[in-house]
Amino acid sequence: MELRHLRYFIAVAEEKHITRAAERLGMQQPPLSQQIKAIERELDVQLFLRKARGVELTDAGRAFLEEARATLMHLDRAFDSTRRASRGEQGRLCVGVTSTTPFHPVVPRAIRAFREACPMVALTLEECLSNESVDRVRNEQMDVAFVRAAMGNGQGLAVTSLLDEPMVVALPSSHVLAQTKTEAPVSLDRLSRETFILYGPPGTGMYDSTIAACRAAGFSPRIGNLGASTQLAPRITSTLSLVGAGLGITFVPASLQRMNMEGVIYRSIKGSNRPMATLKLASRRDDKSAVVKQFINFVRKEAKDYAVGT
């Protein structure tokens, strides 16, 4: 028995008339009658009672109708699911973020747009440092990751540069530069004698950008110490907490000014050597997932629209 036989049977059962069912199916009445008889012979049961003005289901026919409908419904769902998966509208997606990337509007906008367009994709977010995210993408523990680290497209990764964001300096509210009423931009050379609190280890975007900007301005940043250990904060929130406690200053992407921390004041940085934070999206170069491709397209569109809007 083929699937078309189930459709023939359902049409006759619903129309209760072989001629009307044949018209509905776009076929002649005699071949349809022969197909129904062939189904009954194969099942060795009588499915219909033949009457003068049509047909009526037997008890066996009613049981078969229920199962036939369920079979075709399940098959239709399977077809729909397969098509959605091929279009990247169904499946699973693990997205990595650093503690700074969600503050930029492009990231939440892209995720929101993707969720609205593809509600059947099970999307999860995981936070870690850029270097950790890159390793997890490469090891197939994540599918894509928003990162700040400066990197190329090597080592099996495809890296899309989304935008460059200026960084600002976060100062303790008691700092002399934080108390100016004009909120004038600060030049890097004014910060050469400051104690810096760095976010993350070398190889992460914020750490490398801070070091590079200071050296371009002609000095190496003095990194704060607590006891015998260099002050490297593991997360941006702890970095800003240390700034608020008066232990030093730090650079953060301008979008982080949305984070209001007690005791922390933000000031823009002027000069040609001001530090920049690059927002990138990392994925595996050989990933054939339609869901991943769909997500990357949404992110690229949001980044492009943001650039045009600004």
Side-chain angles (χ1 to χ4, degrees):
M1 188 180 301
E2 301 176 12
L3 290 174
R4 61 188 177 91
H5 296 140
L6 297 182
R7 294 189 173 91
Y8 295 161
F9 166 74
I10 291 172
V12 174
E14 291 177 347
E15 296 294 336
K16 298 181 180 180
H17 198 281
I18 292 182
T19 300
R20 289 198 298 269
E23 292 174 353
R24 168 177 158 180
L25 294 167
M27 61 188 300
Q28 298 297 315
Q29 182 270 334
L32 179 58
S33 293
Q34 295 172 5
Q35 293 289 348
I36 295 299
K37 291 178 181 178
I39 295 172
E40 290 179 319
R41 285 196 300 271
E42 182 174 345
L43 294 175
D44 195 23
V45 297
Q46 185 176 0
L47 298 173
F48 295 101
L49 295 174
R50 275 69 175 176
K51 295 188 174 183
R53 295 188 176 181
V55 295
E56 181 179 310
L57 285 168
T58 64
D59 289 343
R62 282 188 286 272
F64 188 57
L65 177 61
E66 182 177 344
E67 295 299 329
R69 283 172 170 167
T71 297
L72 292 184
M73 186 178 300
H74 179 77
L75 187 64
D76 288 341
R77 284 199 300 266
F79 287 162
D80 289 342
S81 177
T82 301
R83 294 187 185 104
R84 285 193 298 269
S86 70
R87 295 192 298 263
E89 298 172 359
Q90 181 173 318
R92 294 181 178 277
L93 184 71
C94 181
V95 180
V97 294
T98 70
S99 59
T100 68
T101 53
F103 286 90
H104 196 284
V106 165
V107 175
R109 288 178 188 176
I111 293 173
R112 182 170 58 250
F114 179 79
R115 289 292 301 272
E116 291 174 353
C118 306
M120 300 193 72
V121 174
L123 188 149
T124 58
L125 296 176
E126 295 188 14
E127 181 186 331
C128 51
L129 296 172
S130 290
N131 56 341
E132 296 171 346
S133 294
V134 168
D135 288 340
R136 296 189 68 177
V137 170
R138 186 179 291 115
N139 296 330
E140 301 186 12
Q141 296 171 313
M142 284 181 179
D143 298 303
V144 294
F146 291 97
V147 296
R148 295 284 193 182
M151 66 179 81
N153 284 349
Q155 299 179 317
L157 295 178
V159 181
T160 301
S161 293
L162 302 175
L163 53 89
D164 290 322
E165 179 183 8
M167 296 179 74
V168 298
V169 59
L171 304 162
S173 57
S174 59
H175 196 285
V176 63
L177 294 175
Q179 296 176 1
T180 58
K181 295 181 179 180
T182 60
E183 298 186 5
V186 177
S187 62
L188 279 173
D189 55 12
R190 290 284 304 273
L191 306 175
S192 60
R193 295 187 178 182
E194 298 291 338
T195 298
F196 281 77
I197 301 170
L198 298 187
Y199 161 61
T204 54
M206 299 302 97
Y207 183 102
D208 292 349
S209 296
T210 298
I211 297 295
C214 291
R215 288 178 176 171
F219 69 94
S220 294
R222 182 174 61 183
I223 303 172
N225 292 295
L226 289 181
S229 61
T230 299
Q231 184 57 52
L232 295 176
R235 292 291 184 269
I236 197 64
T237 50
S238 55
T239 303
L240 293 175
S241 294
L242 293 172
V243 171
L247 298 178
I249 69 171
T250 194
F251 294 154
V252 296
S255 56
L256 262 291
Q257 294 177 89
R258 293 182 174 87
M259 181 183 289
N260 293 320
M261 299 280 291
E262 184 176 353
V264 178
I265 299 295
Y266 302 99
R267 292 288 182 265
S268 58
I269 302 171
K270 65 180 179 180
S272 58
N273 294 324
R274 64 178 182 171
M276 303 293 289
T278 300
L279 180 63
K280 301 180 180 182
L281 187 69
S283 61
R284 287 182 295 280
R285 187 179 301 166
D286 59 352
D287 197 329
K288 305 300 182 184
S289 168
V291 173
V292 171
K293 293 178 181 178
Q294 182 85 304
F295 183 77
I296 292 173
N297 289 336
F298 270 88
V299 174
R300 286 174 172 167
K301 180 180 183 303
E302 290 298 327
K304 181 178 180 180
D305 290 348
Y306 180 84
V308 172
T310 54

